Amino acid sequence: TTRLVQSVRVRTDRVIYVASKTEQNLPWPQRPVSRSLPRNQQAPFVYECVMAEQDFLDSKQNMLEMLTSDNSGVLGIYETHVPLSWRLYMNLNTVWGVRRAVRAAPKHLTEGFELRELEPRVTNPGLYLK
């Protein structure tokens, strides 16, 4: 079987975590999660927020206001400085491919793939280095 190595563009969303002492209705898509916080900090409410990178960049001022407001209840906003490439590496291995359920489309050539459209491939360790 011939395997090709190809360079593709991949878009990945920004994931941040908002820790709060009160329930929040955040301005971004959110879901409650259970996470360990840095320095063993405790928070009754932790939310995972997933957004496009441009939405994240546009929301930086809003995040700062939430952190500095006395009545927001927000204790911290985490993983704002994690490079998007790290998220990609954490979710994929060194060898990956397009999920079978994803249909090839012309937009993939110009815009690239969404991270959720890709999956790691199990290969013989080191085979890709030969």
Side-chain angles (χ1 to χ4, degrees):
T1 311
T2 302
R3 296 186 185 257
L4 299 174
V5 175
Q6 294 180 323
S7 174
V8 295
R9 184 178 300 172
V10 178
R11 292 183 315 270
T12 184
D13 290 330
R14 171 71 61 176
V15 178
I16 63 169
Y17 297 92
V18 179
S20 176
K21 55 186 170 188
T22 59
E23 286 190 71
Q24 295 287 321
N25 186 13
L26 300 169
W28 317 288
Q30 69 188 50
R31 72 180 183 96
V33 293
S34 175
R35 295 287 187 273
S36 296
L37 299 175
R39 297 174 297 283
N40 291 323
Q41 192 175 28
Q42 300 296 313
F45 302 95
V46 179
Y47 299 97
E48 179 184 71
C49 302
V50 180
M51 64 191 84
E53 182 66 6
Q54 190 58 53
D55 294 341
F56 169 73
L57 296 173
D58 294 343
S59 298
K60 286 229 174 191
Q61 183 62 36
N62 192 359
M63 289 179 199
L64 181 61
E65 290 169 6
M66 289 173 70
L67 284 171
T68 58
S69 172
D70 290 334
N71 59 3
S72 75
V74 172
L75 300 170
I77 301 176
Y78 299 95
E79 298 197 10
T80 59
H81 290 79
V82 174
L84 293 178
S85 59
W86 286 21
R87 179 164 156 70
L88 183 69
Y89 303 144
M90 288 187 298
N91 283 277
L92 298 174
N93 216 336
T94 54
V95 179
W96 47 270
V98 178
R99 291 185 185 276
R100 293 196 190 280
V102 174
R103 298 206 183 272
K107 73 172 187 153
H108 291 129
L109 294 175
T110 57
E111 298 173 22
F113 291 89
E114 296 287 340
L115 178 58
R116 67 179 178 272
E117 295 176 317
L118 305 173
E119 64 186 359
R121 303 285 186 188
V122 178
T123 63
N124 180 346
L127 181 64
Y128 66 94
L129 297 176
K130 291 185 180 183

